[in-house]
């Protein structure tokens, strides 16, 4: 799907998170997708931009996976009435305090919003700040996905598992995985839902473009088969975006010839989830 098409190339998914978070992100992600520099994106459907920005992902030269970025912790989620800060969501999950009925309503509403404007089920489901694997959310999510799409298994989305490859775990990755990665894998496997093998792309959003380039080279090198590398690009800085500077740096690198060369050097081929065996 990408610069490197050799038969021996390592196949991974490069997924841009936060489509529709603001105009700069949507335009940047759409441009990268048109260039073949991404193979997936995850949508924040609670954003007021989603209904209009969905059109940016139509009629791409090569289609990409378009999935739901399940959201409990953004400003959009707070405005929708169910949201809360990440720390509060983590503590609620650790206490087993998410109400199953309320969680179902939130998940159904976001899937409805996705389908209304995309006119198809999501190719995958992941979560803003990895909420898809929190206790009290993941169990309901799996039930809802099976109920909505299980009669046609080809429509079942694949799931992002937010954990680093073995031997590559730092503190941030450890905390993310500890919030339910293993439990989500076990439950999804029992339900015959496809899962990614690992997630790379986790960092602290600091440093310059060279640091990001160096990190991306490492992620591409370390990514195992059926893994996802996430990114958060935007082609312009938007006021109020806590990681706006990092988004712009990521975009500038991913759109550059340097990134194309890195893919070739790493013998990496960007693919969609449908290619997973």
């Amino acid at each position: 799907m990408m610069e490197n098409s050799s038969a021996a190339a390592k196949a991974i998914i490069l997924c841009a998170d936060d489509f529709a978070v603001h105009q700069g992100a949507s335009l940047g992600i759409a441009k990268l997708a048109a260039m073949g520099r991404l193979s997936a994106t995850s949508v924040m459907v609670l954003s007021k931009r989603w209904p209009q920005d969905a059109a940016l992902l139509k009629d791409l030269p090569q289609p990409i996976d378009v999935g739901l970025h399940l959201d409990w912790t953004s400003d959009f989620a707070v405005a929708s009435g169910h949201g809360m800060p990440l720390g509060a969501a983590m503590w609620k999950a650790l206490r087993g305090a998410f109400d199953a009925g309320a969680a179902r309503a939130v998940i159904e509403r976001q899937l409805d919003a996705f389908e209304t404007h995309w006119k198809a089920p999501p190719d995958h489901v992941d979560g803003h700040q990895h909420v898809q694997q929190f206790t009290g959310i993941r169990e309901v999510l799996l039930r809802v996905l099976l109920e909505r799409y299980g009669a046609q298994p080809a429509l079942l989305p694949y799931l992002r598992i937010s954990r680093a490859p073995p031997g590559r775990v730092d503190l941030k990755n450890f905390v993310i995985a500890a919030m339910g990665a293993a439990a989500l894998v076990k439950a999804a496997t029992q339900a015959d839902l496809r899962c990614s093998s690992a997630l790379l792309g986790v960092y602290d959003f600091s440093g310059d473009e060279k640091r990001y380039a160096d990190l991306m080279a490492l992620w591409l090198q370390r990514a195992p088969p059926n893994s996802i590398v996430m990114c958060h690009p935007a082609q312009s800085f938007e006021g109020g975006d806590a990681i706006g500077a990092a988004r712009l740096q990521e975009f500038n690198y991913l759109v550059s010839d340097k990134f194309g060369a890195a893919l070739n050097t790493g013998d990496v081929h960007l693919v969609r989830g449908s290619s997973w065996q």
Side-chain angles (χ1 to χ4, degrees), residues 1 8 52 60 66 71-72 85 88 92 108 120 132 143-144 147 157-158 167 188 205 207 242 257 274 277:
M1 175 170 187
Q52 67 189 81
L60 293 171
V66 179
D71 184 8
W72 247 272
K92 191 170 185 176
E108 294 272 17
Q132 83 280 10
R143 286 197 295 271
V144 170
E147 290 170 11
Y158 63 89
F205 298 108
D257 291 340
S274 57
Q277 300 300 317

Side-chain angles (χ1 to χ4, degrees), residues 203-215 245-246 249-250 253:
Y203 73 118
D204 59 4
F205 298 108
S206 69
D208 56 14
E209 187 178 319
K210 182 182 183 304
R211 182 191 180 223
Y212 185 71
D214 291 342
L215 286 171
Q249 284 188 163
E250 291 189 26
Y253 173 67

Side-chain angles (χ1 to χ4, degrees), residues 4 6-13 217-227 263 266-271:
N4 194 330
S6 72
K10 178 167 60 175
I12 65 167
I13 291 173
L218 283 174
W219 296 329
L220 295 177
Q221 175 189 351
R222 295 171 175 175
N226 295 357
S227 63
L263 289 168
D267 203 21
V268 171
H269 182 47
L270 301 185
V271 299

